[in-house]
Amino acid sequence: MVKTGGLGDVSAALPAALATLGIDARILLPGYRQVLALLPDYREVARIAPMADFPASRLLRGRMASGVPLYALDCPELYQRPGGPYQDEAGSDWSDNALRFGLLSRVAALLGSAGGPLDWQAQVVHCNDWQTGLAPAYLRYAAGARAATLQTIHNLAFQGIFEPELVAALGLPPASFSPNGVEYYGKLSFLKAGLQFADAITTVSPGYALEIQSEALGFGLQGLLAARKDSLYGILNGIDTGLWNPATDSLIACRYAADTLASKPINKRALQRRLGLAPSPAVPLFAVVSRLTAQKGLDWLLEIAPQLLALPAQLALLGGGGDAHLERGFLALAQGHAEQVSTTIGFDEGLAHLIEAGADAFLMPSRFEPCGMNQMYSQRYGTPPIVRATGGLADTVVDCTAATLADGSASGFVFQQPTAAALLVAVERAERAWRDGTTWPALQRNGMARDFGWEASARRYAAIYARLAEKQ
Ligand code: ADP
Ligand code: GLC
């Protein structure tokens, strides 16, 4: 599948959860090679003529593994190329990203417009991140009955900002380029367009919904978001509890559940062996699975590595998509401490699962985190997370204190300050708790008992869709 982070997880799991609520949810994705490969039995269901600077394209219909209908927007010159969805193999943004995601937005809007290309018209077009931010703008200017729009923010750090000359190339009316439209400080902003024109806005945790209205985490859009706060909802992401279940996971060495936690160390041994770490049960193994970007606060982890290793402890990191400085730092650390530190650069779903199962504790010291998925996966895998108190991390991890241990809610370690020193204190607290034979199993069991499934959140989305559709 095409996944660079949590958006991939959500795009697959939320529509499936909506379908179980009886909602006719359908997915539109660019026709990347990996997407077409998923659709061996696709049918062409529409041809879309060239518009503005967009080339001709077509819609191919298939199904996700969950059964949810998937439309792939086939336009080989825009979507079929080596490299990632947003960047080339060298890590530079594709120079035609405005056209690539402009077309995606345009076609999403057509699916919600009267006279669209299918014999089916969406009542609500649910847009995720900047890549579909122009859809609400196109719909706002469309004639005839149109779908309502919902813009979801998964990460405000990515906004899709382009040169103003592209307004015409993208087929937007000249009047849309204004401060009340798609303009953002003289540029064209896809995300701003979505936030300006969508009928409602959601983001992926209640905490982040508040944070993005402030200067510190609003990335320049805090004013607009605060002005729209009555239409802005924070809905926590769920997790795919079928895919991320230690009792059934075929990607781990030994399956286990809360009442068979004694089997979990088999996964630790397998992980240590696979990564070339010393096969010792007596040192805690801390782990990271992450995009290597400034957002994730992993520079603090590099800073405290000497103290962490002196505890003693082991560290396993799986990371990709990123910052060359962080990559070099973690590779050098592993080189200097081969038996204690392992760094794997790249994207590896199987290893991500084995790490969740085999590590003792999971590290997410993010500077900001709209929701975060891995801290939920790790609680489900009995691998208590160590997180900074921000966004969805603060909403999903309960810090271990005497009071939270007593009331059975403690599930990890939460630190407040955005500093390496604060991370170190949390790591030291975790190490002490790991050595304590009653605290650690309590944290594991509390985390494993929590319900992070999609159902409650899918109901909240469904309620918003219903309200929006009613108003159209
Ligand atoms: P973000 O979306 O900001 O990257 P999330 O925590 O929401 O962060 O989601 C990250 C998702 O991507 C998780 O499912 C995680 O397991 C996965 N992931 C991140 N990096 C890698 C990697 N290098 N290999 C495999 N999976 C990864
Ligand atoms: C983004 C965020 C992450 C969130 C994910 C899915 O990539 O960085 O926090 O979990 O989207 O919503």
Side-chain angles (χ1 to χ4, degrees):
M1 196 55 204
V2 263
K3 162 173 164 182
T4 59
L7 176 57
D9 299 15
V10 174
S11 308
L14 172 59
L18 291 166
T20 64
L21 299 178
I23 291 180
D24 181 9
R26 305 187 184 190
I27 301 175
L28 174 68
L29 278 177
Y32 303 126
R33 285 207 180 104
Q34 304 92 313
V35 172
L36 299 183
L38 279 181
L39 302 178
D41 304 319
Y42 67 73
R43 285 182 299 122
E44 178 185 301
V45 287
R47 285 180 177 239
I48 296 166
M51 301 166 280
D53 280 11
F54 299 129
S57 58
R58 50 187 198 141
L59 284 172
L60 308 177
R61 184 181 159 140
R63 277 183 193 281
M64 301 284 289
S66 60
V68 169
L70 166 64
Y71 295 103
L73 176 56
D74 184 39
C75 184
E77 58 196 284
L78 292 185
Y79 305 127
Q80 287 196 35
R81 43 179 84 164
Y86 316 125
Q87 294 173 335
D88 63 20
E89 283 164 313
S92 302
D93 285 352
W94 294 111
S95 61
D96 56 354
N97 271 348
L99 266 194
R100 298 172 75 233
F101 296 103
L103 180 63
L104 181 67
S105 300
R106 184 77 188 97
V107 172
L110 286 177
L111 295 180
S113 305
L118 303 175
D119 54 6
W120 174 87
Q121 183 185 349
Q123 287 179 288
V124 177
V125 175
H126 183 168
C127 306
N128 290 286
D129 270 353
W130 72 266
Q131 292 88 340
T132 43
L134 288 190
Y138 288 123
L139 278 165
R140 182 59 62 97
Y141 294 107
R146 65 165 187 96
T149 50
L150 174 62
Q151 176 70 47
T152 293
I153 302 166
H154 294 267
N155 196 331
L156 214 47
F158 304 104
Q159 301 187 358
I161 293 178
F162 300 98
E163 294 306 317
E165 291 71 38
L166 285 164
V167 167
L170 293 167
L172 288 165
S176 67
F177 194 71
S178 81
N180 292 327
V182 304
E183 186 204 333
Y184 180 70
Y185 295 106
K187 304 268 189 184
L188 161 64
S189 165
F190 275 46
L191 185 62
K192 154 94 190 290
L195 300 178
Q196 184 76 41
F197 288 121
D199 297 302
I201 302 168
T202 61
T203 188
V204 289
S205 68
Y208 195 59
L210 292 177
E211 290 170 350
I212 57 180
Q213 297 177 49
S214 73
E215 198 178 331
L217 288 180
F219 284 94
L221 289 166
Q222 60 276 7
L224 172 56
L225 289 162
R228 296 216 58 193
K229 70 173 191 302
D230 293 340
S231 312
L232 167 63
Y233 309 89
I235 304 180
L236 194 68
N237 285 335
I239 67 171
D240 183 331
T241 50
L243 204 61
W244 293 94
N245 180 356
T248 56
D249 193 334
S250 57
L251 298 170
I252 66 178
C254 180
R255 297 174 192 165
Y256 60 95
D259 54 358
T260 50
L261 265 173
S263 300
K264 190 178 188 293
I266 298 174
N267 291 293
K268 178 170 177 178
R269 244 187 335 272
L271 182 62
Q272 287 169 322
R273 206 173 311 125
R274 171 156 171 188
L275 300 178
L277 296 169
S280 166
V283 288
L285 171 51
F286 292 86
V288 176
V289 178
S290 182
R291 289 184 297 115
L292 297 182
T293 63
Q295 172 189 344
K296 303 294 179 178
L298 295 168
D299 47 324
W300 297 324
L301 179 57
L302 273 180
E303 235 178 290
I304 65 155
Q307 292 95 318
L308 182 142
L309 298 181
L311 284 172
Q314 295 181 339
L315 176 65
L317 175 133
L318 168 61
D323 182 298
H325 168 75
L326 284 172
E327 226 174 75
R328 273 198 304 275
F330 281 104
L331 284 170
L333 187 68
Q335 229 165 28
H337 306 267
E339 297 224 310
Q340 247 185 311
V341 181
S342 155
T343 297
T344 310
I345 301 297
F347 196 88
D348 186 335
E349 298 225 35
L351 183 56
H353 282 248
L354 183 60
I355 287 177
E356 287 293 4
D360 290 303
F362 197 92
L363 288 160
M364 277 181 93
S366 306
R367 286 193 164 74
F368 69 94
E369 196 61 71
C371 178
M373 306 302 288
N374 276 119
Q375 81 284 6
M376 296 191 274
Y377 301 151
S378 58
Q379 286 173 76
R380 190 157 162 81
Y381 279 66
T383 306
I386 300 167
V387 305
R388 196 169 90 74
T390 184
L393 298 177
D395 288 344
T396 53
V397 182
V398 179
D399 188 38
C400 175
T401 64
T404 57
L405 279 170
D407 70 17
S409 62
S411 66
F413 299 85
V414 184
F415 65 98
Q416 301 289 328
Q417 293 305 313
T419 61
L423 169 61
L424 179 59
V425 171
V427 164
E428 290 169 344
R429 287 171 58 212
E431 191 261 350
R432 277 196 301 277
W434 181 78
R435 296 199 179 280
D436 164 354
T438 51
T439 303
W440 202 258
L443 290 176
Q444 291 181 298
R445 277 194 304 271
N446 294 346
M448 293 180 91
R450 295 186 65 181
D451 175 11
F452 289 118
W454 264 108
E455 194 186 331
S457 296
R459 283 189 194 286
R460 295 202 55 203
Y461 280 107
I464 293 176
Y465 298 157
R467 262 202 317 277
L468 293 179
E470 212 169 86
K471 280 202 237 145
Q472 281 316 103

